[in-house]
Amino acid sequence: MKFGEDGRLYAINPEAGFFGVAPFTSMETNPNAMLSCRANSIFTNTGLTPDGDIWWEGIGTEIPEGTITWTNDVYDKTNGKPAAHPNARFTAPASQCPVIDKDWENPKRRAYFSIFIRRTPSGNGPIGLSGV
């Protein structure tokens, strides 16, 4: 947060990306998430296809033969175990989101008019900050 030339307090979102649960995320259920994680992304606990791609249940394609599961086993459709962990994740740069506001990183876009500091009723909990 910084004061601008106009004396108002400005801030940007310090996060650089999005994350989400991978299973059942697809072009049909969340195309913007799929387009956002098309490159420069991190995937955890997903299946790994023989050609080095990722795969999870509900991605919208059939699982390729020879896919390695999140437990490092070759996927076996007869045992009922998923290829990806049910809580498998992806994280992608926000700049890759096709519908992100063009000014999302503009520090002059969000001025704060007031900041509220609040405590839990007992007074011994964490301090929370809110901006308006």
Side-chain angles (χ1 to χ4, degrees):
M1 294 177 26
K2 294 182 179 182
F3 286 99
E5 293 176 11
D6 61 1
R8 296 167 64 191
L9 186 61
Y10 290 88
I12 61 167
N13 184 346
E15 295 189 29
F18 306 126
F19 73 92
V21 175
F24 302 100
T25 300
S26 68
M27 286 300 288
E28 186 176 318
T29 62
N30 193 340
N32 290 323
M34 294 297 287
L35 293 170
S36 295
C37 69
R38 69 191 179 278
N40 308 310
S41 299
I42 300 169
F43 300 90
T44 60
N45 299 326
T46 65
L48 181 64
T49 65
D51 64 355
D53 203 355
I54 46 86
W55 190 92
W56 56 74
E57 284 69 20
I59 198 170
T61 61
E62 292 296 318
I63 188 168
E65 191 71 32
T67 294
I68 304 299
T69 70
W70 73 281
T71 58
N72 205 31
D73 297 313
V74 175
Y75 178 75
D76 177 1
K77 62 182 174 187
T78 65
N79 72 11
K81 294 180 181 177
H85 187 280
N87 202 23
R89 300 287 177 137
F90 64 87
T91 185
S95 60
Q96 293 180 180
C97 180
V99 295
I100 198 161
D101 186 308
K102 64 179 175 53
D103 281 337
W104 77 282
E105 289 188 295
N106 181 349
K108 293 189 176 182
R109 181 144 195 272
R110 178 68 172 144
Y112 282 81
F113 297 103
S114 61
I115 296 177
F116 300 98
I117 300 174
R118 58 183 191 271
R119 287 187 162 280
T120 59
S122 65
N124 60 5
I127 294 175
L129 294 173
S130 297
V132 179

